[in-house]
Amino acid sequence: QVQLAESGGGLVQPGGSLRLSCASSASVIRLYEWHRQAPGKQREVVATITTGGSTHYADSVKGRFTISRDNAKNMVYLQMNSLKPEDTAVYYCRTSLYWGQGTQVTVSS
C-alpha cells in the first residue's frame, strides 16, 4: 500500500509560479508521474521522473514545468513557471495504481 498526498495548489495570475509537492509513504519507487484534469477534459500526463532522475514532459508544458524528486525524503515536486489559464486543472501525483487526492491549480486574472 502506497499513500500519496499533494499540496501547493492555489490561485495565481497568468505568468505566475507555483510549486506542487507530493509526499509518498513508500521508498524505492521507480516512476512518479504528475497528471492533471480540467473540467470537461481528459486526464493527461504532465511529467514523469524515474529513480535515476530521467524526466519527460508533455509538449504543452515543456520549458515551463520542471519535475524533480528527493529520494531520501520520499518527495516529488512539480515547479510550474509562466503559468497560463490553460494550466487550470486538478493536479494528481501517481505511481503505479496509486493516486493522490489531487490539488487545485487555478490560473486567472
Side-chain angles (χ1 to χ4, degrees):
Q1 180 74 22
V2 178
Q3 295 177 324
L4 304 171
E6 305 95 334
S7 62
L11 173 65
V12 297
Q13 295 190 133
S17 298
L18 284 174
R19 188 175 84 151
L20 306 183
S21 299
C22 174
S24 173
S25 66
S27 62
V28 200
I29 299 294
R30 173 165 176 77
L31 183 69
Y32 282 108
E33 303 175 344
W34 283 100
H35 295 236
R36 68 184 182 186
Q37 186 167 27
K41 299 185 66 177
Q42 294 182 332
R43 188 171 298 186
E44 62 177 343
V45 178
V46 173
T48 67
I49 188 167
T50 67
T51 305
S54 180
T55 60
H56 295 275
Y57 299 92
D59 288 341
S60 59
V61 307
K62 193 172 299 183
R64 300 187 298 120
F65 291 10
T66 303
I67 187 172
S68 61
R69 62 190 291 173
D70 186 334
N71 293 329
K73 299 182 181 298
N74 299 332
M75 296 287 291
V76 189
Y77 307 98
L78 185 68
Q79 178 67 47
M80 305 184 293
N81 299 325
S82 302
L83 283 162
K84 305 174 181 179
E86 307 94 273
D87 297 318
T88 296
V90 177
Y91 284 72
Y92 299 90
C93 181
R94 182 238 185 191
T95 185
S96 187
L97 74 164
Y98 302 103
W99 295 82
Q101 290 286 90
T103 185
Q104 177 72 49
V105 173
T106 302
V107 185
S108 179
S109 298

